Structures are given as C-alpha cells and as structure tokens.
C-alpha cells in the first residue's frame, strides 16, 4: 500500500514536472515574442521619427514654394503694370512675364506633387502609429498574461 502511494506520488511529480516544462517552454516563447515586439516597436518608432522628420522637411519645402509663388505672383503684377507704362519695352517685359508664368505653373505642379506625397506620408505615419499602439497593447496583454 505504501509502495502504491509512493508510485502515485512519483507519478504526480512526473506530471507536475512535465506541466512545469510545458509552462517553461510557453514562458520562453512568450518572452521571445515580447522581445520581438519590443524590437518591432523600436523599429516602428524609428520609422515614425524618420517620417515625421521627412514630413517636416516636405512642409518646409512647401512653405518655400508658396513663398516663391507669392514672390513670382507679385513680380508678375509689377511686370504687368510696367508693361502698361512703358510701351517701348513691351516685347522684353512680355517675354519675361511668359517665363515667370511657366515657372509659376511648374512650381505649382511641383507643389501639388509635394502635397500628394506629403499626404501619403501622413497616411503612412498614421498606419505606423496604429500598428505601434497595437503592438504596445499586445505587449501589455502579454505582460499581464
């Protein structure tokens, strides 16, 4: 009877050891997943930072272009007034005005392109922020598991 009880205790110990081993494997797996998630978050944060810097540079370029467009528009108005005042210089001023118009159209086209690109980066940034939040929540969930 004592031997049967000892065998039962040994079986229970074996079962507990196996359960412990399974739990250790599971904990190790979760630890590795947590490390991967932390790595992913660092990578996403770096990407977000890069995109924020890039968007800032794009915005600065946009402001420069807007300023240039404003300057060109102002110059165009001045040239138009001067053209009316000086008929003898009409041909020269007309050619310069045409050049400025083409430059303004090219700059406006470039500005539209930058705005489209900026919009795409904002969408990418929002997607990265959402993914980062999801990963942070997953880490929190793993830590509370």
């Amino acid at each position: 009877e004592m031997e049967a009880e000892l065998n039962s205790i040994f079986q229970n110990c074996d079962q507990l050891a196996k359960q412990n081993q399974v739990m250790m494997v599971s904990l190790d797996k979760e630890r590795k997943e947590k490390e991967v998630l932390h790595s992913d978050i660092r990578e996403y944060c770096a990407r977000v930072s890069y995109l924020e810097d890039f968007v800032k540079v794009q915005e600065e370029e946009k402001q420069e272009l807007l300023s240039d467009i404003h300057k060109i528009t102002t110059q165009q108005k001045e040239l138009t007034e001067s053209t009316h005042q000086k008929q003898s210089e009409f041909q020269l001023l007309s050619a310069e005005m045409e050049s400025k118009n083409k430059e303004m159209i090219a700059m406006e086209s470039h500005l539209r392109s930058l705005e489209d690109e900026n919009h795409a980066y904002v969408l990418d940034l929002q997607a990265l922020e959402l993914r980062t939040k999801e990963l942070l929540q997953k880490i929190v969930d793993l830590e509370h598991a």
Side-chain angles (χ1 to χ4, degrees):
E1 182 178 311
M2 182 101 139
E3 189 173 315
E5 193 174 322
L6 282 174
N7 281 339
S8 175
I9 289 173
F10 284 135
Q11 286 176 349
N12 285 342
C13 283
D14 285 343
Q15 287 176 348
L16 289 174
K18 288 177 185 177
Q19 288 176 352
N20 187 38
Q21 188 176 17
V22 168
M23 290 179 73
M24 292 300 287
V25 168
S26 177
L27 285 174
D28 188 53
K29 181 182 175 187
E30 288 182 13
R31 181 190 54 78
K32 288 177 182 175
E33 287 177 3
K34 181 180 174 182
E35 288 173 3
V36 168
L37 289 173
H38 277 294
S39 175
D40 286 349
I41 287 174
R42 283 190 296 275
E43 184 179 317
Y44 288 130
C45 287
R47 182 74 177 147
V48 165
S49 177
Y50 168 79
L51 288 174
E52 286 173 341
D53 291 344
F54 188 80
V55 167
K56 181 180 176 184
V57 168
Q58 293 293 321
E59 186 61 31
E60 289 171 358
E61 287 180 12
K62 175 183 168 185
Q63 292 305 319
E64 286 179 28
L65 287 172
L66 288 172
S67 174
D68 288 346
I69 288 171
H70 178 73
K71 289 176 186 175
I72 289 171
T73 302
T74 301
Q75 289 174 354
Q76 181 185 13
K77 288 177 184 176
E78 291 171 358
L79 289 174
T80 302
E81 290 172 8
S82 176
T83 299
H84 291 296
Q85 294 172 3
K86 301 176 182 180
Q87 289 296 324
S88 63
E89 298 175 11
F90 177 78
Q91 292 298 326
L92 176 64
L93 293 175
S94 180
E96 186 176 344
M97 186 173 71
E98 181 179 325
S99 172
K100 295 290 182 179
N101 280 333
K102 287 180 182 178
E103 186 178 339
M104 184 175 69
I105 289 168
M107 293 179 93
E108 286 173 339
S109 175
H110 183 63
L111 177 61
R112 282 191 297 276
S113 173
L114 285 175
E115 287 174 335
D116 290 345
E117 189 175 330
N118 189 30
H119 181 70
Y121 286 122
V122 168
L123 291 176
D124 287 347
L125 180 60
Q126 290 171 345
L128 283 171
E129 287 173 345
L130 179 61
R131 179 66 178 144
T132 300
K133 286 178 185 176
E134 291 170 356
L135 290 172
L136 285 172
Q137 185 61 47
K138 191 170 182 180
I139 287 173
V140 169
D141 292 345
L142 286 173
E143 289 177 345
H144 290 300

